Amino acid sequence: MTAPVIRDDLRQWQQALRAQFPIVTGHPELAYLDSAATAQKPQAVLDAVQTYLTSSNANAARGTYTWANRTTELVERTRERVARFFGDRQPERSAVHFTSGTTEGLRTIARDWLPGFLRDGDEIVVPDADHQANIAPWREAQRLLAREGTHIRVVPMPYQSGSGDYDHRALAERAGPRTRFVATTHVHHVYGGDMNVRRIRRAVGPDAVICLDAAQSVGHLPVSVAELDVDFVVFSGHKALALPGSGAVWARQARGPAFAPGGWSGTPNTVGIVSLEAALDWLDAAGVERVEHWTVALAARLTEGLRHLDAYEILGCPLSLGADSTVQRRQGIVTLRHRAIDSGDLGFILFSHGFMVRSDNHCQGDAGEKTGSVRVSLHVYNTVEEIDRLLSVLASLQ
């Protein structure tokens, strides 16, 4: 077995960044391997929140005094920051709406935008083996429209057998002139693969609206709306090093009506927005491309080791396991099963050795996995030594 080589300069870069996460450095005996559920926070994000709360905490767009004005400016500045982080070349045309996270963002699109876009007989594509947050809102919208007399057809996203990747050729065959909306995922939360969104556009044509669930990609790899011809990007701040309860919808405003969430706009999560701006600044300074290189390299090291352990099944594309594979690698997410040990029990065993992992069905849709599994998800604060130690423990359970 030959482990993938990780360059010395990349290791030194990672060590300097890892030192900026107090919860990680404060518990050296533990390895946090659950960043797909939520990411840990660097000191810069914690400092930004502390500074805001102790210097200018106020409500936004509801006062004329200094603290209120600063908060209002902060909210608007962070909208611009999100658009800039995504490489938006036409920010004057697009819109950014803050949410509590990906789930609320997708539901807002399904509830407040989609009904005004669809007509009787239209079709939407739904990825039934992805996260429930990217399935349930569209099914709910179908039911609500039916009550009003508008009947739309839900077309299941086709998947390649055995890999969990989208089957873009089959999608092109299923899509037709009435295919108006496609819900898709950037990085799969179980299989860890980049779902090749660019091929989605080629498959469904230039007019269909594409909504991208970027919960597992923002903060982990570059997300460029200039390169991805999608209409919505929805993400959670807490998976991108910001605080829980923060997130956003970026809307291109090019196909269909303008995106405008319905109802009265209440008090925004100003602390979450502060943390989001600080997290995006931190990621830009660190280099998101390097973050991706690091987590992909660690995932490759893990799959290279696991493929030599017969007791384990690795979910996702079987061609991308070896260190010498030319197939795209897992984006910092590796999900596995032991052939004899229940996944819940395996999770407890791993925690007894200091590893914090996710062990359940991972909120996957009905067309996904039926049996529980253990998910290892990585971020920039994880180390080569943690992966090697995890492999040693897993090997001892053969």
Side-chain angles (χ1 to χ4, degrees):
M1 177 177 69
T2 303
V5 176
I6 299 177
R7 300 193 319 264
D8 288 340
D9 63 317
L10 201 58
R11 285 178 182 253
Q12 294 170 4
W13 165 85
Q14 188 272 339
Q15 289 171 2
L17 295 186
R18 175 182 167 86
Q20 299 177 38
F21 290 83
I23 195 171
V24 174
T25 57
H27 298 277
E29 76 285 1
L30 299 175
Y32 182 77
L33 304 175
D34 197 19
S35 292
T38 195
Q40 300 303 337
K41 322 305 174 192
Q43 188 64 54
V45 170
L46 304 176
D47 288 345
V49 169
Q50 179 74 7
T51 298
Y52 170 74
L53 289 175
T54 57
S55 65
S56 58
N57 177 44
N59 211 329
R62 286 167 173 80
T64 57
Y65 53 90
T66 304
W67 291 358
N69 290 338
R70 287 178 184 169
T71 300
T72 302
E73 291 170 2
L74 161 76
V75 172
E76 295 309 311
R77 187 176 71 230
T78 307
R79 291 189 207 278
E80 298 172 359
R81 187 71 183 87
V82 171
R84 191 165 70 253
F85 189 76
F86 289 160
D88 186 354
R89 295 172 182 170
Q90 294 182 302
E92 71 284 352
R93 181 176 184 173
S94 62
V96 173
H97 172 69
F98 292 114
T99 69
S100 64
T102 305
T103 299
E104 185 196 348
L106 295 171
R107 290 192 65 200
T108 300
I109 297 168
R111 181 186 64 237
D112 297 338
W113 184 87
L114 193 62
F117 176 65
L118 297 176
R119 298 293 180 264
D120 195 67
D122 283 346
E123 299 176 348
I124 65 174
V125 178
V126 176
D128 288 333
D130 291 5
H131 197 287
Q132 284 283 4
N134 202 17
I135 303 170
W138 319 120
R139 297 284 184 177
E140 182 181 1
Q142 180 192 30
R143 292 191 293 270
L144 292 174
L145 283 166
R147 293 175 192 171
E148 299 173 359
T150 301
H151 298 279
I152 64 172
R153 178 170 173 255
V154 172
V155 177
M157 176 73 77
Y159 293 83
Q160 296 179 18
S161 177
S163 72
D165 295 331
Y166 295 149
D167 189 333
H168 301 91
R169 292 182 180 178
L171 176 61
E173 295 172 356
R174 294 185 186 185
R178 299 305 299 270
T179 304
R180 303 269 284 151
F181 180 88
V182 181
T184 185
T185 298
H186 198 179
V187 171
H188 201 280
H189 72 294
V190 176
Y191 306 122
D194 183 325
M195 303 301 279
N196 291 311
V197 179
R198 293 177 184 83
R199 297 183 185 175
I200 296 287
R201 173 58 67 198
R202 292 200 295 269
V204 301
D207 299 324
V209 168
I210 299 178
C211 178
L212 183 66
D213 174 353
Q216 300 299 346
S217 58
V218 174
H220 299 260
L221 65 151
V223 179
S224 170
V225 296
E227 297 177 6
L228 299 172
D229 189 8
V230 298
D231 299 274
F232 294 99
V233 175
V234 190
F235 73 99
S236 299
H238 74 97
K239 298 179 190 289
L241 310 182
L243 293 187
S246 63
V249 173
W250 174 89
R252 186 181 293 277
Q253 312 282 57
R255 299 176 180 92
F259 173 65
W264 176 256
S265 179
T267 299
N269 177 10
T270 53
V271 176
I273 293 170
V274 167
S275 75
L276 182 57
E277 181 186 40
L280 297 183
D281 286 345
W282 191 93
L283 286 162
D284 265 348
V288 183
E289 296 86 354
R290 278 192 150 193
V291 172
E292 180 186 17
H293 289 328
W294 183 258
T295 56
V296 168
L298 291 187
R301 193 178 187 92
L302 179 56
T303 57
E304 170 65 31
L306 282 169
R307 75 186 184 117
H308 297 279
L309 303 179
D310 294 337
Y312 296 93
E313 171 194 3
I314 309 171
L315 279 59
C317 179
L319 301 178
S320 64
L321 302 181
D324 56 351
S325 172
T326 58
V327 180
Q328 67 158 342
R329 309 313 300 261
R330 284 163 171 75
Q331 296 287 339
I333 295 175
V334 178
T335 305
L336 57 107
R337 292 192 190 100
H338 194 288
R339 302 188 191 279
I341 302 174
D342 176 79
S343 296
D345 292 338
L346 181 57
F348 281 115
I349 293 170
L350 290 177
F351 181 63
S352 72
H353 290 274
F355 299 103
M356 293 178 279
V357 297
R358 174 86 173 261
S359 53
D360 56 21
N361 289 321
H362 317 295
C363 304
Q364 197 171 4
D366 292 340
E369 304 291 333
K370 300 297 188 292
T371 306
S373 54
V374 167
R375 183 180 68 187
V376 175
S377 52
L378 309 163
H379 217 305
V380 69
Y381 36 75
N382 293 119
T383 66
V384 171
E385 291 72 24
E386 288 174 340
I387 297 302
D388 290 348
R389 188 160 59 88
L390 174 63
L391 283 169
S392 177
V393 172
L394 292 172
S396 73
L397 300 175
Q398 287 238 89

